[in-house]
Amino acid sequence: MCDYHTEKCMNFIQSTCRWFLVFGRIKRNGYLCIRKNNETTDMKSYFKFLSRNKLYTAIEAFGLSIALAFVMILVSYAFMEYRVGTHQPDAKNLYVPGSGDYLGMTLGTAKEFFPSIPEIKEWTRFSDYYTDKGAVVDGQYFHVQARAIDSNFLDMMGMKCRGCATHQVLTDMHQALISESFANRAFGNANPIGQVVTCDTLQFKVVGIVDDFGREDLLEPTDIFVSMKLKEKDLDPMDQFGEVVTIAQLADNADPEKVNATLLNKYMGYWKKWWSHKKTTGSFLWGSSLVRWDKLYFSDITCPHVRHGSKTLVNVLLIVALVLLLSAIFNYINLTVAQIGNRAKEMATRRLLGESVLGVVLRYIKEAALFTAVCFLLGVLLAWAFTPLFNSILDTKISLFSSPVVWGCLLVAYLVISLLSGLFPAIVVSRNNPIDVVKGTMRLRSKMWFSRIFIVAQSVISMSLV
């Protein structure tokens, strides 16, 4: 046999021996697990890995669960804040008029100006009704919040009422509507319809029960509604600015800017001595505003008798929650990559037995999906536990998972976290040759490669939080 063939034969023998040595070393260390159908087990080795690295598992589960709990709470809070005032049937066509820095107008503003503006289809009003002595029912005193409303208020605002029709209510000055909660407080299990409620020196007959305002309602909580005719009896129609809030319903094709400009001209024409086009030194009344109902909650312009929120606070809390989640994901990925060396022989065995790179990637993603699902479950439990604390801090009442939109966001978050948490470690593993496991070179290169990325990412997150 020639020297050339002899050399090739020796190389083949050495290569074969080397592979036998690899299989022998892996088998002796217990990483070769073959099913009866010659396929490796799917999740058993992963559970064994987690059980052998209890500290790693506890740190990752706790960190990711806490982050997810905070995200669930703050996303639910943000969604509720952005929903305030948006559920009225025609919220995008409802506008509140006012001056340049205040939305309350006089009692007679609508009657004086709106009939000559064809873009305004309908209007209604509401105002505080002050009761110094509260309300008395069968000799028992109750502290109440009362509002005066027009007869079309419930119908325009899409409010529900039982006991009377909503399109025409409180046609008599001696009638009243009460809220569901006040009905329970004052009358218990008895039927309040037809009963009498005394406010100061006036007696009102209860003709209907209105649903309580919810967390997403713009109006402040109200116990008793009385007729606006009581205000008309006591107030000058074109004086006392800010006493009454007027709501105008515009036509579908109306231009709010044009309507606002028309109103400003009418204000300046009627109150010539008091009203100016722009704010100047010593201005009493100036400019004109027309704020859409579903934008009123975050508006910078003051409006009485309605709730106001801070859009900046909501956005900041939402950003902090997302950054916290991003940091937890990076920690999860970093520790997973750091533990690659502990599973290196297992993955090398799978590759040597014929599993493709895609198979390894899908395996890591599947494991990450399982781990993330457990963390999501723990996050839900923690969210329920922490919600009372957040309610106290934010002075609100957060309703977790109150909308399908929130559930949809959480589902997207679960899929993204599972994909990222499984993809990065899989990429690190797939970049190496199985023979590098035996040589001991894979773990060092992987940690150096990913540590640089992680340091940069953590620096960006830290600066974002600051």
Side-chain angles (χ1 to χ4, degrees):
M1 183 180 296
C2 66
D3 294 339
Y4 173 76
H5 289 90
T6 302
E7 183 178 357
K8 290 199 66 175
C9 185
M10 292 297 296
N11 289 338
F12 174 76
I13 294 173
Q14 291 177 359
S15 177
T16 303
C17 291
R18 184 183 298 114
W19 284 109
F20 272 110
L21 286 173
V22 170
F23 275 99
R25 292 176 63 180
I26 294 174
K27 186 174 182 180
R28 284 196 303 271
N29 287 315
Y31 289 95
L32 188 55
C33 303
I34 305 177
R35 290 180 179 174
K36 292 181 180 180
N37 59 358
N38 293 326
E39 293 182 0
T40 56
T41 55
D42 286 335
M43 303 302 293
K44 187 179 297 185
S45 61
Y46 180 61
F47 293 141
K48 183 181 294 185
F49 163 73
L50 293 179
S51 66
R52 290 178 177 177
N53 296 272
K54 295 181 178 61
L55 180 60
Y56 155 82
T57 304
I59 292 174
E60 281 310 312
F62 179 76
L64 190 56
S65 299
I66 286 289
L68 288 170
F70 281 21
V71 169
M72 291 175 190
I73 294 173
L74 294 179
V75 166
S76 297
Y77 169 71
F79 182 79
M80 290 172 57
E81 290 289 287
Y82 281 113
R83 284 271 302 167
V84 173
T86 64
H87 65 280
Q88 272 74 21
D90 203 24
K92 295 187 181 300
N93 286 330
L94 298 178
Y95 288 82
V96 179
S99 64
D101 57 357
Y102 196 82
L103 293 181
M105 294 298 292
T106 65
L107 180 68
T109 296
K111 290 183 178 180
E112 180 69 26
F113 302 134
F114 288 3
S116 60
I117 304 177
E119 291 88 350
I120 298 179
K121 293 172 52 180
E122 191 178 0
W123 54 269
T124 191
R125 301 167 299 180
F126 68 94
S127 175
D128 261 348
Y129 180 73
Y130 302 102
T131 58
D132 296 333
K133 298 181 181 179
V136 178
V137 177
D138 292 335
Q140 185 177 1
Y141 169 82
F142 296 93
H143 176 73
V144 296
Q145 293 292 332
R147 304 273 188 272
I149 59 175
D150 281 317
S151 59
N152 65 337
F153 184 81
L154 297 187
D155 191 45
M156 246 187 92
M157 303 308 294
M159 296 172 59
K160 296 179 180 180
C161 177
R162 59 186 177 91
C164 62
T166 58
H167 66 279
Q168 197 74 6
V169 298
L170 304 179
T171 55
D172 191 310
M173 286 192 300
H174 299 288
Q175 294 178 342
L177 303 171
I178 62 175
S179 68
E180 190 77 43
S181 59
F182 179 69
N184 293 331
R185 277 196 298 152
F187 298 97
N189 295 327
N191 184 11
I193 304 297
Q195 300 292 329
V196 175
V197 176
T198 302
C199 294
D200 296 333
T201 59
L202 297 178
Q203 291 186 332
F204 298 96
K205 179 182 178 181
V206 178
V207 296
I209 302 174
V210 181
D211 288 348
D212 288 315
F213 292 140
R215 179 61 183 80
E216 296 177 359
D217 283 295
L218 187 56
L219 293 176
E220 293 176 343
T222 304
D223 300 302
I224 300 176
F225 296 91
V226 297
S227 175
M228 186 63 74
K229 294 178 181 180
L230 291 169
K231 303 288 287 189
E232 292 175 341
K233 185 180 67 171
D234 298 332
L235 290 179
D236 186 305
M238 299 304 287
D239 201 356
Q240 297 189 15
F241 289 92
E243 183 71 18
V244 177
V245 176
T246 305
I247 305 172
Q249 182 181 11
L250 303 190
D252 293 337
N253 57 350
D255 182 2
E257 294 297 329
K258 180 182 177 181
V259 175
N260 193 36
T262 302
L263 286 172
L264 177 58
N265 292 332
K266 290 183 178 294
Y267 299 157
M268 294 177 63
Y270 190 90
W271 293 289
K272 297 179 181 179
K273 297 181 180 180
W274 300 341
W275 213 289
S276 60
H277 188 271
K278 294 182 179 180
K279 185 176 183 179
T280 58
T281 303
S283 296
F284 173 51
L285 293 167
W286 59 276
S288 178
S289 298
L290 195 65
V291 181
R292 206 169 75 184
W293 185 257
D294 58 349
K295 303 291 184 182
L296 190 56
Y297 184 65
F298 290 126
S299 175
D300 295 329
I301 303 177
T302 303
C303 183
H305 321 312
V306 300
R307 297 170 51 228
H308 289 87
S310 172
K311 192 173 185 178
T312 301
L313 175 63
V314 175
N315 290 338
V316 168
L317 290 176
L318 192 58
I319 291 173
V320 168
L322 295 178
V323 172
L324 177 64
L325 178 61
L326 185 62
S327 178
I329 293 172
F330 268 104
N331 282 325
Y332 177 27
I333 296 172
N334 183 57
L335 286 178
T336 301
V337 172
Q339 293 289 335
I340 282 178
N342 293 343
R343 302 186 68 194
K345 294 180 180 180
E346 174 197 341
M347 294 304 167
T349 302
R350 298 184 186 279
R351 293 284 301 280
L352 292 173
L353 290 174
E355 186 167 1
S356 64
V357 174
L358 179 60
V360 173
V361 172
L362 293 177
R363 185 178 302 279
Y364 268 100
I365 293 176
K366 183 167 62 174
E367 293 172 355
L370 176 63
F371 189 84
T372 306
V374 174
C375 291
F376 257 90
L377 180 59
L378 293 175
V380 169
L381 298 177
L382 290 172
W384 283 111
F386 281 118
T387 296
L389 176 62
F390 276 83
N391 286 339
S392 176
I393 294 174
L394 298 174
D395 191 22
T396 186
K397 188 175 181 181
I398 299 174
S399 179
L400 290 175
F401 323 125
S402 58
S403 168
V405 177
V406 177
W407 283 106
C409 292
L410 293 178
L411 178 60
V412 171
Y414 168 73
L415 295 176
V416 171
I417 294 172
S418 300
L419 181 62
L420 293 178
S421 301
L423 191 59
F424 276 92
I427 291 175
V428 174
V429 170
S430 63
R431 287 168 59 91
N432 295 273
N433 194 298
I435 197 64
D436 291 336
V437 178
V438 182
K439 295 179 180 179
T441 58
M442 186 186 79
R443 185 178 182 182
L444 178 61
R445 289 204 304 264
S446 300
K447 290 179 67 176
M448 292 177 61
W449 175 78
F450 193 78
S451 292
R452 294 168 185 167
I453 298 178
F454 181 72
I455 291 172
V456 173
Q458 287 292 80
S459 299
V460 172
I461 291 174
S462 299
M463 288 187 291
S464 300
L465 285 173
V466 172

